[in-house]
Amino acid sequence: MSTEKPSVLFVCVHNAGRSQMAAGYLRELGGDRVEVRSAGSEPKDRINPVAVEAMAEAGIDITGNMPKILTVDAVKESDVVITMGCGDACPIFPGKRYEDWVLEDPAGQGIEAVRPIRDEIRRRVEELIGELLPARTGV
């Protein structure tokens, strides 16, 4: 991992739900201590409105985000690459930390089904922050 702030890339197929929610949580909870990216192997033209609604319920606004295509550069520039159902589309580079988070896809689901997905993403992001960022002492 880089000696400066760690960089995390969240990848899912459409970059419209899971990866956007994860990026939203990491930006909110990690603040300026971590660099956050998200991308998709086949990005949609907009973020899933139910994912936006679910995150708004948690006090996080992701309405201004746009799905982005996964690039080799995004992977190269990241210390940690977290995939969420993107299969083999993500390039592998030595020295990177890779994790695959198996999460249900929120696409086409209502808010009641998306809330537990959102909550599991938050739990995993909090765990990731604990691993990546040193605990503050004397606070």
Side-chain angles (χ1 to χ4, degrees), residues 6-52:
S7 176
V8 178
L9 170 64
F10 294 102
V11 183
C12 67
V13 175
H14 298 127
N15 191 220
R18 294 167 290 189
S19 56
Q20 291 285 352
M21 290 190 285
Y25 271 127
L26 188 54
R27 282 187 189 101
E28 181 72 20
L29 302 173
D32 62 358
R33 299 177 297 156
V34 64
E35 187 175 332
V36 182
R37 296 179 178 90
S38 71
S41 54
E42 299 173 23
K44 290 286 190 183
D45 60 348
R46 66 186 180 110
I47 296 181
N48 179 339
V50 181
V52 171

Side-chain angles (χ1 to χ4, degrees), residues 9 18 37 50 72 75 91 93 97 106 118 124:
L9 170 64
R18 294 167 290 189
R37 296 179 178 90
V50 181
V72 170
V75 177
F93 291 99
R97 173 179 164 184
R118 174 204 62 202
R124 291 179 188 215

Side-chain angles (χ1 to χ4, degrees), residues 68-90:
K68 295 172 218 53
I69 187 75
L70 176 63
T71 65
V72 170
D73 286 342
V75 177
K76 280 183 182 178
E77 295 168 5
S78 300
D79 298 308
V80 180
V81 179
I82 297 178
T83 58
M84 303 173 197
C86 71
D88 296 331
C90 192

